[in-house]
Amino acid sequence: MDTRAAAERFVGVWERAWASHDVPALLELYAEGCVHRSMPFRAPHRGRAELEAYLRWSFAAERVTDVRFSPPVVGADRVAVAEFRVLAREEGAAGTLAGCVLVRFDEAGLVVESRDYWHTAEGHQEPTGRTFLL
């Protein structure tokens, strides 16, 4: 399994599928027994069914304007990280969500573990400095 190829597929699908709320396309990236943490202190979403429920809940009120992911940074042990920035509207108010996702892939290139760290801001804005480190 080529970690770089899996990571590039991951960010490419997430960028496209988040913009259109294509939950089935996102779920195809994850192993059946995956563990996803949407924030450090929230309970993890275990397995595709819990991840699907979380994604549908998360997307319910969101109207996406723009999604951008950085090229992934690939490390040892089939791990990759990428930054993201999402412009959206919820309940008529513009907002920006910016953060990063850390993922670990299995031998087949599916995500077995992922963690998101993110922040929100009112209005549509870019993070200060360069949008992404790369």
Side-chain angles (χ1 to χ4, degrees), residues 13-64:
V13 170
W14 258 99
E15 191 170 81
R16 179 189 56 75
W18 193 340
S20 63
H21 294 166
D22 186 350
V23 173
L26 293 172
L27 293 175
E28 288 179 13
L29 297 169
Y30 293 82
E32 189 59 44
C34 66
V35 177
H36 172 74
R37 290 187 180 274
S38 61
M39 286 295 281
F41 303 112
R42 285 183 182 168
H45 311 289
R46 297 184 183 278
R48 280 188 182 169
E50 286 187 18
L51 178 58
E52 178 179 10
Y54 166 72
L55 292 172
R56 292 192 185 285
W57 169 82
S58 181
F59 292 160
E62 178 185 75
R63 301 298 169 254
V64 174

Short mmCIF file of all heavy atoms in Angstrom, two decimals, residues 13-64:
data_model
loop_
_atom_site.label_atom_id
_atom_site.label_comp_id
_atom_site.label_asym_id
_atom_site.label_seq_id
_atom_site.Cartn_x
_atom_site.Cartn_y
_atom_site.Cartn_z
N VAL A 13 -11.05 13.11 -2.06
CA VAL A 13 -12.45 12.71 -1.85
C VAL A 13 -13.10 13.60 -0.80
O VAL A 13 -14.22 14.06 -0.98
CB VAL A 13 -12.55 11.22 -1.48
CG1 VAL A 13 -13.97 10.87 -1.04
CG2 VAL A 13 -12.13 10.34 -2.66
N TRP A 14 -12.40 13.86 0.29
CA TRP A 14 -12.98 14.72 1.33
C TRP A 14 -13.29 16.11 0.79
O TRP A 14 -14.35 16.67 1.08
CB TRP A 14 -12.05 14.81 2.55
CG TRP A 14 -12.53 13.93 3.67
CD1 TRP A 14 -12.08 12.68 4.00
CD2 TRP A 14 -13.57 14.24 4.59
NE1 TRP A 14 -12.78 12.20 5.07
CE2 TRP A 14 -13.70 13.14 5.46
CE3 TRP A 14 -14.40 15.33 4.77
CZ2 TRP A 14 -14.63 13.11 6.49
CZ3 TRP A 14 -15.33 15.30 5.80
CH2 TRP A 14 -15.44 14.20 6.64
N GLU A 15 -12.38 16.68 0.01
CA GLU A 15 -12.62 18.03 -0.52
C GLU A 15 -13.88 18.06 -1.37
O GLU A 15 -14.73 18.93 -1.22
CB GLU A 15 -11.39 18.48 -1.31
CG GLU A 15 -11.43 19.95 -1.67
CD GLU A 15 -10.11 20.42 -2.23
OE1 GLU A 15 -9.88 20.19 -3.43
OE2 GLU A 15 -9.31 21.00 -1.47
N ARG A 16 -14.01 17.09 -2.26
CA ARG A 16 -15.17 17.04 -3.15
C ARG A 16 -16.45 16.66 -2.40
O ARG A 16 -17.50 17.29 -2.53
CB ARG A 16 -14.91 16.05 -4.28
CG ARG A 16 -16.07 15.91 -5.26
CD ARG A 16 -15.88 14.76 -6.24
NE ARG A 16 -15.66 13.48 -5.60
CZ ARG A 16 -16.60 12.74 -5.01
NH1 ARG A 16 -17.85 13.18 -4.95
NH2 ARG A 16 -16.32 11.56 -4.48
N ALA A 17 -16.35 15.60 -1.57
CA ALA A 17 -17.54 15.06 -0.92
C ALA A 17 -18.06 15.96 0.20
O ALA A 17 -19.27 16.00 0.44
CB ALA A 17 -17.25 13.66 -0.40
N TRP A 18 -17.17 16.67 0.90
CA TRP A 18 -17.65 17.60 1.93
C TRP A 18 -18.45 18.71 1.27
O TRP A 18 -19.52 19.09 1.75
CB TRP A 18 -16.48 18.17 2.71
CG TRP A 18 -16.82 18.90 3.98
CD1 TRP A 18 -18.03 19.45 4.34
CD2 TRP A 18 -15.93 19.15 5.06
NE1 TRP A 18 -17.92 20.03 5.58
CE2 TRP A 18 -16.65 19.86 6.05
CE3 TRP A 18 -14.58 18.86 5.28
CZ2 TRP A 18 -16.06 20.29 7.24
CZ3 TRP A 18 -14.01 19.28 6.47
CH2 TRP A 18 -14.75 19.98 7.43
N ALA A 19 -17.96 19.20 0.15
CA ALA A 19 -18.64 20.29 -0.55
C ALA A 19 -20.06 19.90 -0.98
O ALA A 19 -20.96 20.73 -1.00
CB ALA A 19 -17.83 20.74 -1.75
N SER A 20 -20.26 18.63 -1.29
CA SER A 20 -21.58 18.17 -1.75
C SER A 20 -22.31 17.31 -0.72
O SER A 20 -23.38 16.77 -1.01
CB SER A 20 -21.42 17.38 -3.05
OG SER A 20 -20.63 16.22 -2.83
N HIS A 21 -21.71 17.16 0.47
CA HIS A 21 -22.29 16.32 1.54
C HIS A 21 -22.54 14.89 1.05
O HIS A 21 -23.56 14.29 1.38
CB HIS A 21 -23.56 16.94 2.11
CG HIS A 21 -23.33 18.22 2.83
ND1 HIS A 21 -24.34 19.07 3.16
CD2 HIS A 21 -22.19 18.80 3.31
CE1 HIS A 21 -23.86 20.12 3.81
NE2 HIS A 21 -22.55 19.97 3.91
N ASP A 22 -21.60 14.36 0.32
CA ASP A 22 -21.69 13.00 -0.23
C ASP A 22 -21.17 12.01 0.80
O ASP A 22 -20.01 11.57 0.76
CB ASP A 22 -20.89 12.93 -1.53
CG ASP A 22 -21.04 11.61 -2.25
OD1 ASP A 22 -21.60 10.65 -1.67
OD2 ASP A 22 -20.56 11.52 -3.40
N VAL A 23 -22.02 11.64 1.74
CA VAL A 23 -21.63 10.75 2.84
C VAL A 23 -21.19 9.38 2.33
O VAL A 23 -20.17 8.85 2.79
CB VAL A 23 -22.75 10.66 3.89
CG1 VAL A 23 -22.44 9.60 4.95
CG2 VAL A 23 -22.97 12.03 4.54
N PRO A 24 -21.89 8.75 1.38
CA PRO A 24 -21.42 7.44 0.90
C PRO A 24 -19.99 7.48 0.34
O PRO A 24 -19.21 6.56 0.58
CB PRO A 24 -22.44 7.07 -0.19
CG PRO A 24 -23.70 7.77 0.25
CD PRO A 24 -23.21 9.09 0.82
N ALA A 25 -19.63 8.54 -0.37
CA ALA A 25 -18.27 8.65 -0.89
C ALA A 25 -17.26 8.74 0.25
O ALA A 25 -16.18 8.14 0.18
CB ALA A 25 -18.14 9.86 -1.81
N LEU A 26 -17.60 9.45 1.30
CA LEU A 26 -16.70 9.57 2.45
C LEU A 26 -16.54 8.23 3.16
O LEU A 26 -15.44 7.83 3.52
CB LEU A 26 -17.20 10.63 3.42
CG LEU A 26 -17.17 12.06 2.89
CD1 LEU A 26 -17.87 13.01 3.84
CD2 LEU A 26 -15.75 12.50 2.62
N LEU A 27 -17.63 7.52 3.34
CA LEU A 27 -17.58 6.25 4.05
C LEU A 27 -16.72 5.22 3.33
O LEU A 27 -16.12 4.35 3.97
CB LEU A 27 -18.99 5.71 4.28
CG LEU A 27 -19.85 6.53 5.24
CD1 LEU A 27 -21.26 5.96 5.29
CD2 LEU A 27 -19.24 6.60 6.63
N GLU A 28 -16.64 5.31 2.01
CA GLU A 28 -15.81 4.38 1.25
C GLU A 28 -14.33 4.51 1.59
O GLU A 28 -13.55 3.60 1.30
CB GLU A 28 -16.01 4.58 -0.25
CG GLU A 28 -17.34 4.10 -0.75
CD GLU A 28 -17.52 4.33 -2.24
OE1 GLU A 28 -16.53 4.65 -2.93
OE2 GLU A 28 -18.66 4.19 -2.71
N LEU A 29 -13.93 5.61 2.20
CA LEU A 29 -12.53 5.81 2.58
C LEU A 29 -12.14 5.08 3.86
O LEU A 29 -10.96 4.93 4.16
CB LEU A 29 -12.26 7.31 2.78
CG LEU A 29 -12.41 8.21 1.58
CD1 LEU A 29 -12.36 9.67 2.02
CD2 LEU A 29 -11.33 7.91 0.56
N TYR A 30 -13.13 4.63 4.63
CA TYR A 30 -12.91 4.11 5.98
C TYR A 30 -13.11 2.61 6.07
O TYR A 30 -14.02 2.05 5.46
CB TYR A 30 -13.87 4.80 6.96
CG TYR A 30 -13.56 6.26 7.12
CD1 TYR A 30 -14.02 7.20 6.20
CD2 TYR A 30 -12.78 6.72 8.18
CE1 TYR A 30 -13.72 8.55 6.33
CE2 TYR A 30 -12.48 8.06 8.32
CZ TYR A 30 -12.94 8.97 7.39
OH TYR A 30 -12.64 10.30 7.51
N ALA A 31 -12.26 1.96 6.88
CA ALA A 31 -12.42 0.54 7.18
C ALA A 31 -13.68 0.36 8.03
O ALA A 31 -14.09 1.28 8.75
CB ALA A 31 -11.20 0.02 7.92
N GLU A 32 -14.27 -0.80 7.98
CA GLU A 32 -15.50 -1.07 8.73
C GLU A 32 -15.32 -0.81 10.22
O GLU A 32 -16.19 -0.25 10.87
CB GLU A 32 -15.95 -2.52 8.51
CG GLU A 32 -17.32 -2.82 9.07
CD GLU A 32 -18.44 -1.97 8.49
OE1 GLU A 32 -18.49 -1.78 7.27
OE2 GLU A 32 -19.26 -1.48 9.29
N GLY A 33 -14.19 -1.17 10.79
CA GLY A 33 -13.97 -0.99 12.22
C GLY A 33 -13.22 0.28 12.58
O GLY A 33 -12.57 0.34 13.63
N CYS A 34 -13.34 1.30 11.78
CA CYS A 34 -12.60 2.55 11.99
C CYS A 34 -12.98 3.21 13.32
O CYS A 34 -14.05 2.96 13.87
CB CYS A 34 -12.85 3.53 10.85
SG CYS A 34 -14.56 4.10 10.74
N VAL A 35 -12.08 4.07 13.79
CA VAL A 35 -12.35 4.89 14.97
C VAL A 35 -12.05 6.33 14.58
O VAL A 35 -10.95 6.65 14.14
CB VAL A 35 -11.45 4.48 16.17
CG1 VAL A 35 -11.70 5.41 17.35
CG2 VAL A 35 -11.71 3.03 16.55
N HIS A 36 -13.07 7.19 14.71
CA HIS A 36 -12.93 8.60 14.34
C HIS A 36 -13.22 9.47 15.56
O HIS A 36 -14.24 9.29 16.23
CB HIS A 36 -13.89 8.97 13.21
CG HIS A 36 -13.91 10.44 12.93
ND1 HIS A 36 -12.89 11.08 12.27
CD2 HIS A 36 -14.82 11.39 13.24
CE1 HIS A 36 -13.17 12.37 12.19
NE2 HIS A 36 -14.33 12.59 12.76
N ARG A 37 -12.33 10.41 15.81
CA ARG A 37 -12.54 11.41 16.87
C ARG A 37 -12.73 12.76 16.18
O ARG A 37 -11.83 13.25 15.52
CB ARG A 37 -11.36 11.47 17.82
CG ARG A 37 -11.24 10.25 18.68
CD ARG A 37 -10.15 10.44 19.73
NE ARG A 37 -10.02 9.26 20.55
CZ ARG A 37 -10.76 9.02 21.64
NH1 ARG A 37 -11.66 9.88 22.03
NH2 ARG A 37 -10.59 7.91 22.32
N SER A 38 -13.91 13.36 16.39
CA SER A 38 -14.20 14.64 15.76
C SER A 38 -13.65 15.81 16.56
O SER A 38 -13.54 16.91 16.04
CB SER A 38 -15.70 14.80 15.54
OG SER A 38 -16.38 14.77 16.76
N MET A 39 -13.35 15.60 17.82
CA MET A 39 -12.71 16.58 18.69
C MET A 39 -12.02 15.78 19.79
O MET A 39 -12.47 14.70 20.14
CB MET A 39 -13.73 17.55 19.29
CG MET A 39 -14.26 18.59 18.32
SD MET A 39 -13.02 19.75 17.73
CE MET A 39 -12.88 20.87 19.11
N PRO A 40 -10.95 16.33 20.37
CA PRO A 40 -10.17 15.55 21.32
C PRO A 40 -10.94 15.01 22.53
O PRO A 40 -10.64 13.93 23.02
CB PRO A 40 -9.08 16.52 21.78
CG PRO A 40 -8.99 17.53 20.71
CD PRO A 40 -10.36 17.64 20.11
N PHE A 41 -11.95 15.74 23.01
CA PHE A 41 -12.62 15.33 24.24
C PHE A 41 -14.02 14.76 24.02
O PHE A 41 -14.72 14.47 24.98
CB PHE A 41 -12.65 16.50 25.23
CG PHE A 41 -11.26 17.01 25.53
CD1 PHE A 41 -10.86 18.26 25.09
CD2 PHE A 41 -10.34 16.21 26.19
CE1 PHE A 41 -9.58 18.73 25.35
CE2 PHE A 41 -9.06 16.66 26.45
CZ PHE A 41 -8.67 17.92 26.03
N ARG A 42 -14.40 14.58 22.76
CA ARG A 42 -15.67 13.92 22.45
C ARG A 42 -15.45 12.41 22.43
O ARG A 42 -14.36 11.94 22.14
CB ARG A 42 -16.18 14.34 21.07
CG ARG A 42 -16.76 15.72 21.00
CD ARG A 42 -17.29 15.97 19.61
NE ARG A 42 -17.81 17.32 19.49
CZ ARG A 42 -18.13 17.88 18.34
NH1 ARG A 42 -17.98 17.22 17.20
NH2 ARG A 42 -18.60 19.11 18.30
N ALA A 43 -16.50 11.69 22.69
CA ALA A 43 -16.42 10.23 22.55
C ALA A 43 -16.14 9.89 21.09
O ALA A 43 -16.64 10.57 20.18
CB ALA A 43 -17.73 9.59 23.00
N PRO A 44 -15.37 8.87 20.83
CA PRO A 44 -15.06 8.51 19.44
C PRO A 44 -16.28 7.88 18.75
O PRO A 44 -17.17 7.33 19.40
CB PRO A 44 -13.93 7.49 19.57
CG PRO A 44 -14.11 6.90 20.92
CD PRO A 44 -14.68 7.99 21.78
N HIS A 45 -16.29 8.00 17.44
CA HIS A 45 -17.28 7.33 16.60
C HIS A 45 -16.62 6.03 16.15
O HIS A 45 -15.60 6.06 15.46
CB HIS A 45 -17.64 8.21 15.40
CG HIS A 45 -17.97 9.61 15.81
ND1 HIS A 45 -19.13 9.94 16.48
CD2 HIS A 45 -17.28 10.77 15.69
CE1 HIS A 45 -19.14 11.23 16.74
NE2 HIS A 45 -18.02 11.75 16.27
N ARG A 46 -17.19 4.92 16.55
CA ARG A 46 -16.58 3.61 16.28
C ARG A 46 -17.36 2.91 15.17
O ARG A 46 -18.56 2.68 15.31
CB ARG A 46 -16.56 2.76 17.54
CG ARG A 46 -15.71 3.37 18.63
CD ARG A 46 -15.61 2.47 19.85
NE ARG A 46 -14.84 3.10 20.90
CZ ARG A 46 -13.51 3.11 20.96
NH1 ARG A 46 -12.81 2.51 20.02
NH2 ARG A 46 -12.90 3.72 21.95
N GLY A 47 -16.65 2.60 14.10
CA GLY A 47 -17.26 1.90 12.97
C GLY A 47 -17.93 2.84 12.01
O GLY A 47 -18.20 4.01 12.31
N ARG A 48 -18.19 2.32 10.83
CA ARG A 48 -18.79 3.14 9.76
C ARG A 48 -20.19 3.64 10.13
O ARG A 48 -20.56 4.75 9.76
CB ARG A 48 -18.87 2.34 8.47
CG ARG A 48 -17.59 2.29 7.70
CD ARG A 48 -17.87 1.64 6.37
NE ARG A 48 -16.65 1.51 5.59
CZ ARG A 48 -16.59 0.78 4.49
NH1 ARG A 48 -17.66 0.14 4.06
NH2 ARG A 48 -15.47 0.70 3.81
N ALA A 49 -20.98 2.83 10.83
CA ALA A 49 -22.35 3.25 11.16
C ALA A 49 -22.34 4.49 12.05
O ALA A 49 -23.10 5.44 11.81
CB ALA A 49 -23.12 2.11 11.82
N GLU A 50 -21.49 4.50 13.08
CA GLU A 50 -21.41 5.68 13.95
C GLU A 50 -20.83 6.88 13.20
O GLU A 50 -21.27 8.01 13.39
CB GLU A 50 -20.58 5.39 15.20
CG GLU A 50 -21.30 4.53 16.20
CD GLU A 50 -20.55 4.38 17.51
OE1 GLU A 50 -19.63 5.19 17.80
OE2 GLU A 50 -20.90 3.46 18.27
N LEU A 51 -19.83 6.63 12.35
CA LEU A 51 -19.26 7.71 11.56
C LEU A 51 -20.32 8.29 10.62
O LEU A 51 -20.45 9.50 10.49
CB LEU A 51 -18.04 7.23 10.77
CG LEU A 51 -17.39 8.26 9.86
CD1 LEU A 51 -16.93 9.49 10.63
CD2 LEU A 51 -16.23 7.62 9.11
N GLU A 52 -21.11 7.43 9.99
CA GLU A 52 -22.17 7.91 9.10
C GLU A 52 -23.17 8.78 9.86
O GLU A 52 -23.56 9.86 9.39
CB GLU A 52 -22.90 6.74 8.46
CG GLU A 52 -24.05 7.19 7.57
CD GLU A 52 -24.78 6.06 6.89
OE1 GLU A 52 -24.55 4.88 7.23
OE2 GLU A 52 -25.60 6.36 6.00
N ALA A 53 -23.59 8.35 11.04
CA ALA A 53 -24.54 9.14 11.83
C ALA A 53 -23.94 10.50 12.18
O ALA A 53 -24.63 11.53 12.10
CB ALA A 53 -24.92 8.37 13.10
N TYR A 54 -22.67 10.52 12.56
CA TYR A 54 -22.02 11.78 12.90
C TYR A 54 -21.96 12.71 11.67
O TYR A 54 -22.27 13.89 11.77
CB TYR A 54 -20.60 11.54 13.43
CG TYR A 54 -19.80 12.81 13.47
CD1 TYR A 54 -20.07 13.80 14.40
CD2 TYR A 54 -18.79 13.04 12.54
CE1 TYR A 54 -19.36 15.00 14.41
CE2 TYR A 54 -18.07 14.22 12.55
CZ TYR A 54 -18.36 15.19 13.48
OH TYR A 54 -17.66 16.38 13.48
N LEU A 55 -21.56 12.18 10.52
CA LEU A 55 -21.46 13.00 9.32
C LEU A 55 -22.81 13.58 8.92
O LEU A 55 -22.92 14.76 8.60
CB LEU A 55 -20.87 12.19 8.16
CG LEU A 55 -19.40 11.81 8.31
CD1 LEU A 55 -18.99 10.83 7.20
CD2 LEU A 55 -18.50 13.03 8.32
N ARG A 56 -23.84 12.76 8.95
CA ARG A 56 -25.18 13.25 8.58
C ARG A 56 -25.65 14.33 9.55
O ARG A 56 -26.22 15.34 9.15
CB ARG A 56 -26.17 12.10 8.49
CG ARG A 56 -25.86 11.17 7.31
CD ARG A 56 -26.97 10.20 7.01
NE ARG A 56 -26.57 9.27 5.97
CZ ARG A 56 -26.47 9.53 4.67
NH1 ARG A 56 -26.75 10.75 4.24
NH2 ARG A 56 -26.10 8.61 3.80
N TRP A 57 -25.39 14.15 10.84
CA TRP A 57 -25.74 15.16 11.84
C TRP A 57 -24.95 16.45 11.58
O TRP A 57 -25.49 17.56 11.59
CB TRP A 57 -25.45 14.62 13.24
CG TRP A 57 -25.53 15.67 14.29
CD1 TRP A 57 -26.66 16.15 14.91
CD2 TRP A 57 -24.43 16.41 14.84
NE1 TRP A 57 -26.32 17.14 15.80
CE2 TRP A 57 -24.96 17.32 15.78
CE3 TRP A 57 -23.06 16.39 14.62
CZ2 TRP A 57 -24.15 18.19 16.51
CZ3 TRP A 57 -22.26 17.26 15.34
CH2 TRP A 57 -22.81 18.14 16.27
N SER A 58 -23.65 16.30 11.33
CA SER A 58 -22.77 17.44 11.14
C SER A 58 -23.13 18.25 9.90
O SER A 58 -23.04 19.48 9.90
CB SER A 58 -21.32 16.94 11.03
OG SER A 58 -20.43 17.99 10.87
N PHE A 59 -23.56 17.58 8.85
CA PHE A 59 -23.87 18.25 7.59
C PHE A 59 -25.30 18.80 7.54
O PHE A 59 -25.63 19.57 6.64
CB PHE A 59 -23.71 17.29 6.41
CG PHE A 59 -22.29 16.87 6.12
CD1 PHE A 59 -22.04 15.71 5.38
CD2 PHE A 59 -21.20 17.60 6.55
CE1 PHE A 59 -20.74 15.32 5.09
CE2 PHE A 59 -19.90 17.22 6.26
CZ PHE A 59 -19.67 16.07 5.52
N ALA A 60 -26.17 18.42 8.46
CA ALA A 60 -27.60 18.71 8.37
C ALA A 60 -27.92 20.19 8.16
O ALA A 60 -28.73 20.53 7.30
CB ALA A 60 -28.33 18.20 9.60
N ALA A 61 -27.31 21.07 8.90
CA ALA A 61 -27.65 22.50 8.81
C ALA A 61 -26.63 23.29 8.00
O ALA A 61 -26.80 24.48 7.79
CB ALA A 61 -27.75 23.10 10.21
N GLU A 62 -25.58 22.63 7.55
CA GLU A 62 -24.46 23.31 6.89
C GLU A 62 -24.73 23.47 5.38
O GLU A 62 -25.11 22.53 4.71
CB GLU A 62 -23.20 22.46 7.10
CG GLU A 62 -21.97 22.99 6.45
CD GLU A 62 -20.82 22.02 6.64
OE1 GLU A 62 -20.80 20.97 5.96
OE2 GLU A 62 -19.95 22.31 7.48
N ARG A 63 -24.49 24.67 4.87
CA ARG A 63 -24.55 24.95 3.43
C ARG A 63 -23.17 25.41 3.02
O ARG A 63 -22.77 26.54 3.29
CB ARG A 63 -25.59 26.03 3.12
CG ARG A 63 -27.00 25.68 3.55
CD ARG A 63 -27.53 24.43 2.83
NE ARG A 63 -28.77 23.96 3.41
CZ ARG A 63 -28.89 22.87 4.17
NH1 ARG A 63 -27.83 22.16 4.48
NH2 ARG A 63 -30.05 22.51 4.65
N VAL A 64 -22.42 24.52 2.37
CA VAL A 64 -21.02 24.77 2.07
C VAL A 64 -20.87 25.70 0.88
O VAL A 64 -21.55 25.56 -0.14
CB VAL A 64 -20.29 23.44 1.78
CG1 VAL A 64 -18.86 23.67 1.32
CG2 VAL A 64 -20.32 22.56 3.00
#
